[in-house]
Amino acid sequence: MPTLEAIIFDVDGTLADTERDGHRPAFNTAFADAGLDWDWSVPLYGELLRVTGGKERIRAYLRQHLPDFTPPEGNNGPKGSDEASLDAFIRDLHKRKTEHYVAMMTRGAIPLRIGVLRLLREARQAGIRLAIATTTTPENVTALLNSTGVPDLIDWFEVIAAGDVVPAKKPAPDIFELALEQLQLPARACVAVEDSDNGARSALAAGLNALLITTSSYTHHQDFGDAALVVDQLGEPGAPTQILSGRHAGVLEKTLPSPFHIDLASLHALHAVACR
Ligand code: XBP
Ligand code: MG
């Protein structure tokens, strides 16, 4: 049986519940800066999350909601191609959105989710390697981790695979495959932690069968396919984890103590049952 050597974490929704009150308002402020009257409400943003990646999400929004949109005159896209001018417009808008998001995180707008720091500490102490596989922009990951006040938290992660470094974003497997390649580990030596169906499809397609889902505010109703275990949160002593579903939920429910929270022992149990 392979041993557990690394944990690969998603960021948005998994390390912190950033979409509704972090990314969404950052997009809206960037729209206002650009003189656009677009307003991504909480329910609309839930629908737009079907498409991962901020630039890709803006493009999908235009296609679905404003198919006749053309970038305002004077926008700095190369002349002579509508497609190139739209690309440049989206890139600029998204750059502004990233600036707003980083500023919000730097102010400490969104905390890490319950149990995240505890589990990272436990893993580090036990010599389990840590990695990130995320669709978001690298600056956003840095800002979130730096906002926690835990010195050098970012350096706890040996690998940070983020954003546009791969050809296809989640649900494609590329970003998890890149993290595995950089860790120089096979998928069966790792546990992946995700919060969304797109993330689950990505991790599973990369061969990460030991997949734990911690559902988040936008994802609790989603279908996580063959994820090994689906829970509401990592939890803490005194804030127990609820098992919701999962391919190995039945076995794990019998194995794990009750009440329980996700600690290293539960990740070893999950890994053993999913990778046997
Ligand atoms: C996160 C995303 C990202 C963020 C926005 O998905 O899809 O696009 O919503 O970040 P996951 P950017 O948690 O599956 O990685 O605007 O920087 O893309
Ligand atoms: Mg996520």
Side-chain angles (χ1 to χ4, degrees):
M1 160 140 23
T3 47
L4 170 59
E5 294 188 50
I7 310 172
I8 309 177
F9 289 89
D10 168 50
V11 174
D12 295 304
T14 301
L15 293 186
D17 210 343
T18 46
E19 293 291 7
R20 194 190 65 185
D21 300 325
H23 289 293
R24 189 185 64 87
F27 279 110
N28 283 332
T29 312
F31 301 155
D33 288 350
L36 301 162
D37 64 353
W38 310 348
D39 177 28
W40 286 2
S41 66
V42 170
L44 173 62
Y45 193 68
E47 292 165 30
L48 297 173
L49 281 172
R50 303 305 324 147
V51 173
T52 63
K55 293 186 286 295
E56 293 81 353
R57 190 167 300 141
I58 294 170
R59 190 179 296 277
Y61 170 74
L62 289 174
R63 207 177 296 127
Q64 284 165 26
H65 295 267
L66 299 168
D68 298 328
F69 176 82
T70 49
E73 278 298 309
N75 208 268
N76 46 9
K79 298 290 165 240
S81 156
D82 288 353
E83 201 46 50
S85 123
L86 184 63
D87 284 353
F89 173 75
I90 291 174
R91 201 173 49 242
D92 287 353
L93 198 52
H94 185 257
K95 190 162 165 274
R96 194 90 179 110
K97 175 261 169 180
T98 300
E99 287 164 11
H100 285 299
Y101 183 85
V102 165
M104 286 175 74
M105 293 305 115
T106 305
R107 291 197 301 271
I110 312 273
L112 295 182
R113 289 186 67 183
I114 289 175
V116 167
L117 203 51
R118 170 190 54 73
L119 184 61
L120 293 175
R121 279 202 177 101
E122 279 179 41
R124 198 168 133 80
Q125 274 160 19
I128 303 279
R129 299 161 67 194
L130 298 171
I132 279 175
T134 179
T135 298
T136 205
T137 308
E139 297 97 288
N140 296 349
V141 181
T142 306
L144 174 70
L145 295 177
N146 286 349
S147 76
T148 59
V150 179
D152 303 326
L153 179 58
I154 194 156
D155 298 330
W156 296 13
F157 294 90
E158 201 179 311
V159 166
I160 298 185
D164 294 330
V165 290
V166 285
K169 292 185 177 171
K170 298 175 189 177
D174 304 28
I175 200 77
F176 278 103
E177 286 172 351
L178 179 67
L180 289 169
E181 192 183 308
Q182 293 185 351
L183 285 165
Q184 296 192 293
L185 285 176
R188 62 200 175 79
C190 303
V191 164
V193 189
E194 263 289 353
D195 74 301
S196 70
D197 53 3
N198 278 325
R201 285 163 64 197
S202 173
L204 291 167
L208 288 152
N209 292 334
L211 172 61
L212 171 70
I213 304 289
T214 53
T215 61
S216 61
S217 51
Y218 271 121
T219 70
H220 49 89
H221 58 280
Q222 293 180 345
D223 176 355
F224 303 102
D226 275 340
L229 186 66
V230 181
V231 298
D232 62 339
Q233 58 175 357
L234 294 178
E236 292 280 27
T241 302
Q242 301 291 325
I243 291 181
L244 303 176
S245 59
R247 187 183 165 100
H248 300 296
V251 182
L252 288 167
E253 205 150 17
K254 287 190 201 117
T255 325
L256 297 169
S258 175
F260 85 111
H261 57 271
I262 300 286
D263 57 7
L264 218 43
S266 26
L267 285 192
H268 276 293
L270 182 150
H271 178 255
V273 74
C275 295
R276 72 185 155 204

